[in-house]
Amino acid sequence: MKPLKDILYKVTINAVVGSTSVTVNKIEFDSRKVESNDVFIALVGTISDGHDYISKAINDGAKAIICQVIPNNLVDNVTYIEVENSNKALAFMAANYYDNPSENLKLVGTTGTNGKTTVSSLLYQLFKRAGYKVGLLSTVKIMVDDKEYKATHTTPDSLTINKYLQQMNDEGVEFCFMEVSSHGIHQSRTEGLQFSGGIFTNLSHDHLDYHNSFAEYRDVKKAFFDGLPNTAFCLVNTDDKNGLVMMQNTNAKKCTYALKTYADYRAQILENQFGGLLLKLNDNEVWTKLIGNFNAYNLLAIYATSELLGLENEESLRYISELESVSGRFEYFVSKEKITAIVDYAHTPDALKNVLETINSIRTKNEELITVVGCGGDRDVDKRPKMGHIASALSTKVIFTSDNPRTEEPQSIIDAIEAGVAPQNFKKIVSILDRKQAIRSACQMAQPNDIILIAGKGHENYQEINGKRNDFDDYKIVGELLKQLQK
């Protein structure tokens, strides 16, 4: 039990009905989880409004209500707090409730359209190899040093973030690397956290079903850097013109990285092949197991962050050479028949373009590049024709298929993707609704030395159809199918 007034520290309060001296059990924003003496925070969401569940929360035992509008019918012995923004209130209250755990470690957030998972996960790997206790909050998983937990969102809700950060405090974790999504920033999930650094990777078309425009999407990302303290660093990719925008109003130490332009941290690609990358990072050469121009940017960001967090350059380079690729990020194997199968999370036009250009820069052009790709349902429809155009222009054969159709009709999604295919590329494409059958067809088409790219789902081990998640793992399925065809 904690005094309500203690966990309201830094919350902007408009009005109070009742006493803030009451003690409360825990914080909940899901009315179904409310128990005796809890605080219920009424969040205004895109689908439902928590204010509609205030009565239910009180009936289930809530002692205090945090809301943006105090109800007309008040209940005796219940404290009502009217706040300007209930999402921000949740963030500050969650941090206070868990004793502000971010202040006791070095928390680094990575944001951008592509590369968040790779940069955060590889920094976790690197600092673990360097002998530190490390935390990770990512799309793929949550790590509290060596303990792994399932991730449900790119940026979890504020209660979940602070709960895991407190566990990290208890385990003696020194560094934590965290993906920061535009949704998370917009919904104030990172408010109340003390960041030691922020990394900007790049910005391209994504989430425009949620944000009203690209400018709004960009400005939401920028808000994260605007909020960094002067004790933190702000590391941005200046080969992306939006990098300079991110730095405009930050109080943090400004640092830049780039491959094409002058920056504090520079990289040059000396060799790029399926075996890995030979890079020059500033003046130091290093061989890495990762592949492609996009990973050169990711590794440069990791190298820069390591130095900014106090690691010696020689030590960082040694660990960079040992880093393993992240699940579902350009994850590949070569079959006995010499067919290369690549699984990648590329689900935006820019990410798909990067992956296909990387493959084309490495392959000899004597082999086929067969791409299997789709787009998610109930999401940004504008990117679908762009994905179709890129896939058909940069592949020798393309199979359009289902991704996570959710509640949409899969064929209508594929029709939208096909709308972007240029006339000269029609002969390259085929559409197969069933994703497993599409992967099977790609495997049957492939000859020795050909390359299969399965894009869009990466690490995901499910396919979501009409509200149900069915087991589905691209990497596992393509491996099994190629083995069957070899018999």
Side-chain angles (χ1 to χ4, degrees), residues 14-251:
N14 291 339
V16 177
V17 177
S19 173
T20 60
S21 296
V22 296
T23 56
V24 294
N25 183 26
K26 63 184 192 309
I27 303 168
E28 292 290 356
F29 59 87
D30 184 340
S31 62
R32 295 167 296 183
K33 297 180 180 178
V34 170
E35 297 175 330
S36 180
N37 296 319
D38 286 351
V39 182
F40 174 65
I41 302 184
L43 302 182
V44 180
T46 54
I47 298 173
S48 62
D49 186 344
H51 291 75
D52 296 335
Y53 301 94
I54 288 175
S55 294
K56 180 186 182 304
I58 292 171
N59 289 337
D60 290 338
K63 185 183 280 189
I65 303 295
I66 311 297
C67 52
Q68 291 177 197
V69 179
I70 293 177
N72 292 325
N73 299 318
L74 303 182
V75 177
D76 291 340
N77 299 317
V78 173
T79 299
Y80 298 85
I81 309 286
E82 183 182 296
V83 297
E84 285 190 3
N85 184 308
S86 52
N87 282 293
K88 283 189 178 181
L90 171 62
F92 285 117
M93 291 175 70
N96 293 331
Y97 182 83
Y98 286 105
D99 298 321
N100 295 291
S102 63
E103 296 177 1
N104 301 318
L105 43 75
K106 291 184 178 178
L107 177 64
V108 177
T110 302
T111 195
T113 304
N114 303 310
K116 296 186 296 294
T117 301
T118 298
V119 169
S120 299
S121 299
L122 293 183
L123 280 166
Y124 169 85
Q125 269 193 49
L126 190 152
F127 276 77
K128 282 292 290 178
R129 290 176 184 273
Y132 294 96
K133 290 194 171 187
V134 192
L136 173 68
L137 295 167
S138 81
T139 303
V140 177
K141 59 187 175 183
I142 293 169
M143 298 295 300
V144 178
D145 199 28
D146 295 321
K147 296 175 183 175
E148 182 175 333
Y149 301 89
K150 186 177 179 181
T152 57
H153 294 81
T154 301
T155 306
D157 65 80
S158 302
L159 282 171
T160 302
I161 292 171
N162 283 279
K163 180 185 77 172
Y164 283 117
L165 292 178
Q166 187 193 53
Q167 284 188 33
M168 292 177 198
N169 284 180
D170 293 342
E171 294 292 330
V173 165
E174 296 179 62
F175 299 92
C176 177
F177 302 102
M178 174 181 177
E179 290 186 52
V180 178
S181 69
S182 59
H183 288 70
I185 300 166
H186 188 256
Q187 295 170 13
S188 301
R189 298 180 208 162
T190 55
E191 292 278 356
L193 300 178
Q194 181 77 26
F195 283 93
S196 297
I199 304 167
F200 169 74
T201 57
N202 51 65
L203 207 64
S204 63
H205 187 122
D206 198 17
H207 299 309
L208 298 192
D209 56 316
Y210 179 85
H211 302 288
N212 294 320
S213 65
F214 184 84
E216 181 185 302
Y217 175 50
R218 178 201 63 209
D219 291 345
V220 166
K221 297 281 191 186
K222 179 179 179 296
F224 170 67
F225 296 96
D226 291 350
L228 291 176
N230 59 12
T231 53
F233 65 81
C234 165
L235 175 67
V236 304
N237 170 13
T238 48
D239 280 347
D240 186 310
K241 61 184 180 182
N242 296 291
L244 295 175
V245 176
M246 299 298 141
M247 291 196 297
Q248 281 175 355
N249 303 111
T250 189
N251 292 315

Side-chain angles (χ1 to χ4, degrees), residues 291-477:
I291 301 164
N293 288 20
F294 55 93
N295 273 323
Y297 280 103
N298 293 335
L299 289 164
L300 180 56
I302 289 160
Y303 174 76
T305 302
S306 300
E307 183 180 284
L308 290 166
L309 289 175
L311 261 63
E312 295 290 334
N313 287 340
E314 287 185 10
E315 188 180 19
S316 296
L317 291 166
R318 183 169 78 252
Y319 297 128
I320 284 172
S321 70
E322 299 172 357
L323 296 175
E324 303 284 347
S325 62
V326 179
S327 174
R329 270 64 178 178
F330 214 96
E331 194 174 12
Y332 78 100
F333 68 90
V334 180
S335 74
K336 289 182 180 178
E337 297 294 320
K338 304 299 181 186
I339 296 168
T340 300
I342 301 166
V343 172
D344 194 89
Y345 189 51
H347 63 287
T348 66
D350 193 55
L352 183 62
K353 183 172 180 281
N354 285 339
V355 171
L356 286 169
E357 286 183 343
T358 290
I359 296 169
N360 282 319
S361 71
I362 297 171
R363 73 187 188 93
T364 65
K365 310 300 188 291
N366 294 317
E367 63 286 275
E368 301 280 2
L369 169 52
I370 306 164
T371 299
V372 179
V373 67
C375 289
D378 303 331
R379 297 292 188 273
D380 189 351
V381 297
D382 291 340
K383 73 180 180 183
R384 293 173 185 175
K386 296 178 183 179
M387 299 280 281
H389 175 77
I390 291 165
S392 57
L394 298 178
S395 310
T396 52
K397 294 177 182 176
V398 181
I399 302 175
F400 294 132
T401 189
S402 299
D403 188 287
N404 291 317
R406 299 183 178 89
T407 64
E408 269 196 81
E409 188 63 40
Q411 186 60 57
S412 67
I413 300 172
I414 291 175
D415 290 344
I417 298 170
E418 288 180 347
V421 178
Q424 68 269 25
N425 293 323
F426 284 152
K427 63 182 181 295
K428 296 182 182 181
I429 70 168
V430 62
S431 295
I432 301 173
L433 278 179
D434 182 87
R435 190 173 180 90
K436 186 170 184 179
Q437 185 57 48
I439 297 172
R440 182 187 298 277
S441 296
C443 294
Q444 290 170 334
M445 289 178 186
Q447 299 297 314
N449 299 315
D450 285 351
I451 300 164
I452 300 169
L453 170 65
I454 305 168
K457 288 174 57 57
H459 66 282
E460 293 177 352
N461 58 5
Y462 63 86
Q463 188 175 30
E464 187 174 339
I465 303 172
N466 290 322
K468 183 179 179 184
R469 289 191 172 189
N470 305 304
D471 291 343
F472 201 100
D473 186 319
D474 283 350
Y475 193 81
K476 183 178 178 181
I477 287 169

